[in-house]
Each structure stands twice: as C-alpha cells, then as structure tokens.
Amino acid sequence: MARKRKKLGEILVSWGIIDEAALQQGLEYGMQHGKRIGEALVELELCTQDDVMKALATQLGLEYIDLERNPPPKDALTLMPPELIRKHLVLPMGEDGNRLKVIITDPLDLDTFDLIKFRIGKELVPHLAPEARVRAYIDEFLTKMTDDLSQTMASIDRASIDLEDELDAKPDLDAGGDGGDAPIIRLVNHIIGEAVRARASDIHIEPMGNRVRVRYRIDGVCHIRDDVPKNIQNAVITRYKILSGMDIAEKRIPQDGRIKMKFGGKQVDFRVSACPAYHGESIVLRILRPESASVGIAALGFEEDNYETFQRIIRRPNGIFLVTGPTGSGKTTTLYSALQELNRPDKKIITAEDPVEYNFTGMNQCQVREDIGLSFARILRAMLRQAPNIILVGEIRDREVGDVAIQAALTGHLVFSTLHTNDAPSAITRLIDMGIKPFLVASSVQAIMAQRLLRVICKECKEEDRAPDKFKLKLLGFTDEELTGVTFYRGRGCARCGGSGYHGRLGVFEMLQMNNEIRELAFNRAPTSQVRKAAYASGMRSLREDGKLKVLRGVTTAEEVLRVAQADIVTGADLEDN
C-alpha cells in the first residue's frame, strides 16, 4: 500500500514552525480568499516563504536550493532563452546529457513545466526556491547579462531608426515576447517589464532639457532608473501613446489611456496619462495589479484594537464611513478590502469611481464620464433607484456629491467614500466648508479614518539597530524610560529590497469614531482643534502613535514613520494632549 503523503500544514506543525491554531487560521483565511495554505500562512505572517518552500520540497521529495549559499553558475543562465527565464521564473542550474537541472517556484504548475520542457527539448530535473529570491537573482544577474536598459539605449543609432516603420508596428501586449527587432519597441517593453518585476507602482517618463528621465516609484519612493537619449524622445512617447490608444497627433492637451499586458501568465493593467510640459509630453503609467487590491483587511496593517473597530464599523447597516489621506496613501485598497469582506450574495454593492481601476465579481461598478454628463452626483441619484445595500463613492469632491451621499446614508444605506485631508478630525470641517449642513454631517457620519503607507523592514536583511537615532525616536514620542531595554531594527540592504532595507508597505491609521460629544461639536461648527482634542479624549490614536507601535514591534523604523507622518508631528496637534 502506497504511503500517504503528509500535508503541507502538517509538516510545518511537525517542524514547530506553526501550531495547530495558526494552521486553522491559515486554512480559514485560504478558503475565504481563495489562497493555497502556503500563500495564506505567508500573507498572515505566520511563517516565511522559505519555510513554505522547504516544507513543499519535503512533501514532494524535491531538493530545496538556498540561492544565497548555492547560486547557479553564471554561465548556466545561457542554457535557456532569457524571455523564458523571466516569464516563467525558472533558473537553469546545469545540464547532464539530456537532463537540465532547473529551479522552479511553483511545482504544482504542471502546464508551465510541460511548456518549458517542450521549448527546451530536454528532460527537466526540478529543484525549489522561493519566488522572491528567484526574482531577485534574475533581476540582479540576468538583467546585467542580457537586454540591459543602458545597453539597449546605447545600441540605438538615430540614423538607423526608421520611425515610421517602428511606430506603425503592431503593439506587443504579451510581455513574454521580445517586442520584435525594433529598438524603440524593445526599449519601451523593457522599461515596462523591468518596472513590473521591481514591484513599481508608477513609471515616470519625464522629458528634460537635454535628456528624458525614467523613474520608478517603488514602495512609495521614486527611484531614478536611467536617462533616455533626447533624440528618441518623440519616438518613445509616441510608442506609449500607441500602446494606450491615445491620439498620437494631439500633443497640446492632456490625454488618458490604458494598456493591458500579460506578465508570467497574469494580466496587468496600466493607466496611462500624457500631459504637455515645457520640454515635451510627460508620460506616467500607473501599474494596476488586481492582487494589490485584494490583500484582505488582515494584511492592511491594523493594530488589534483598530482592526476590531474597523470590522465593527463596516458592518453597520447605514451611515457614512470616510477614509482620508493624500494621493497614494492606500485609500482605494482599504475600501476595496472592506467591500470584498462584505461582498456576499445577500448584499447589493454599487460603486461610482473615476476611473474604475479594478474589476470585482459581484459588484456593480460605474465609471464617471464627465464628458457626457455622467458625474458622481448623477450616478449616485441613479444608484438609489437600484436598491443597493452598500454604496462606494470614489471621492466626495463638492457639496452636490456630499449632499446626495448623506441623503443615501440617512435613508438606510451604508456609504463608503474618500476625502483629501491630512487627518481624520479635519474631514468634519472640510465637509461643512463644502456647504453641507452641520446637522447632516453630525447625524450621518459614523466614523472617519486617516491613513498613510509606510515601508516595512525587509525580512531578508533585517538586523538589530545598535545605534538608533535617539533624536528621531524622541521626536516620535519615545521617552528616556521607553528607550531603555527596547530593541530597534533596521534593514541592512540586500538584493531582495534593492539595497533600500525596506520591502513592501503597511498602513498607519487614525480612527475617529463619532460620539455624542463630537457630534455636538460638528453641529456647532467647532474648529478642528476642538474636534481633535475630543477625539483623542475618546481614545483615538494619532498616525504618529500608530507608527510608534509598529516601531516597537520591529516592523519599521522611526525614520520611516517620520517621513509619512511628519505633518502630524510638526503641527503639535497631539503632543500637548499626551
């Protein structure tokens, strides 16, 4: 009788990596979000990706490879086409006759395994390594060997480029292809592909006086990648406009477009904006990954008390819940996570967005189109005739939208929306300043949450910070007593995090729940300072204080909290109250 294979979770429990309670939590999370048990445990930070891959190797009888201690020989990368290595995240290690040793990241993806075997024409001997380490190795060594951005640009001879033929070329919307032989097409595809692999959220193509600057925004911080030669500026910009469906003849007014591409079998959307500037049109590509908006509430970064409050608020039958913060602070991700938690067959959810960035099954999503008069207010009024339970308004921009949203909340609907304010108490003043009557604000708003995104310390190179900056720690609110006996951490910098010491982001939150005192202050048009004081008295924790807790837990650094919550400190809004 064949021996029964142990399950992945059982292996991790037997190794003492997790306990039975953690395993059950991972199973429930995986069923709820459609994740494998290993993915669920990693997302919940109950174990590392290394732990999962080692257990998976044990389960399947494969060899686990530590790429830092046992990297493949550099010349082994020439055993497979570069596009195949990048597209399928597979690393050749060496060959023995007709057998090719390869490192893979997903042994359960048999279709991809068969495809590679067919393309290579050899028998594959699989080994396992974590996806993050494989990506980092590919980005560090393969990019240097082949198709380097600088080499690509250096190879472009202006006299040898037939712009008309290149720009008329059919758009290549599969990142696995090489984009043909045209240098401009290769250059544009390389920039897009490299940004996606680097986890960038934006690509910035910015014409200057004597060059065209290329920058990627990674974890909220812009990084200069390289300069594109000035003499191919028009060709590069026109290529992006062709891919995104813009009018290439129109250069005087801003335009918007979209690109859809496949990377590693996954669809990635790009929201493209072209804006006329002094030295030529500036192009920005916003990278929209569906999985980034489906992280789940537990992965947003809430402390336990704020998590319970958030869960309680989003399950109320009616009222308005506002999320505030500047552009890029994660408001959309937070709201989508809440809607996905509530997205059940017995609930009807309608959204009004500008634009619709992510499409979700089970929600009725409406795109704002001001050019035909389809505004937020008009969609909202139509929504109320559709008998929804839950409404999402992308942003309350003016009194008209605010009035309709409040009327929806007062007539039994749960309304989610966003505002651009620096903190939670300011949102009340902002609504009243728009012209919305104070008694409507006081009676309809249930809670307001301000948030920012801060970078978290890279787990691969995390180490104890033996000489933390005490001035910054005190600026963050640490007392001399608190500094004694506390261990602080930092990221040393490695291939995984690109030398920054940070990898990924979490939110810091300021949760204001309306109570009788705050409603009374709103009704009487009290200044923001009084509202803030009452909110702190009722238990609200500031962005700075929430960040301080994450520093104590070793999640991030004081410097990073100060970077995203500096306004909270400079105003001194809460220092005198603590």
Side-chain angles (χ1 to χ4, degrees), residues 179-251:
D181 295 326
I184 296 296
I185 295 175
R186 291 206 314 272
L187 173 60
V188 167
N189 286 353
H190 180 93
I191 291 173
I192 293 176
E194 185 180 57
V196 171
R197 290 191 296 273
R199 303 179 299 106
S201 59
D202 304 276
I203 305 171
H204 299 260
I205 313 295
E206 303 166 316
M208 303 290 173
N210 57 357
R211 70 191 195 281
V212 180
R213 184 170 66 181
V214 177
R215 294 195 293 173
Y216 303 151
R217 189 185 299 276
I218 302 172
D219 289 336
V221 177
C222 282
H223 299 268
I224 296 177
R225 176 56 182 91
D226 218 325
D227 292 337
V228 173
K230 187 70 175 179
N231 58 7
I232 62 169
Q233 171 182 316
N234 290 337
V236 170
I237 290 174
T238 302
R239 180 61 183 171
Y240 280 113
K241 293 173 74 173
I242 289 173
L243 287 173
S244 56
M246 297 182 190
D247 182 358
I248 63 173
E250 182 56 75
K251 301 180 180 180

Side-chain angles (χ1 to χ4, degrees), residues 16 19 161 257 322 330 341 350 353 391 507 515 528 536 546 560 565:
D19 55 22
I161 296 176
L322 294 173
E341 186 95 353
I350 305 182
E353 304 171 63
I391 294 172
N515 56 28
T528 302
Y536 287 135
D546 201 48
E560 183 64 13

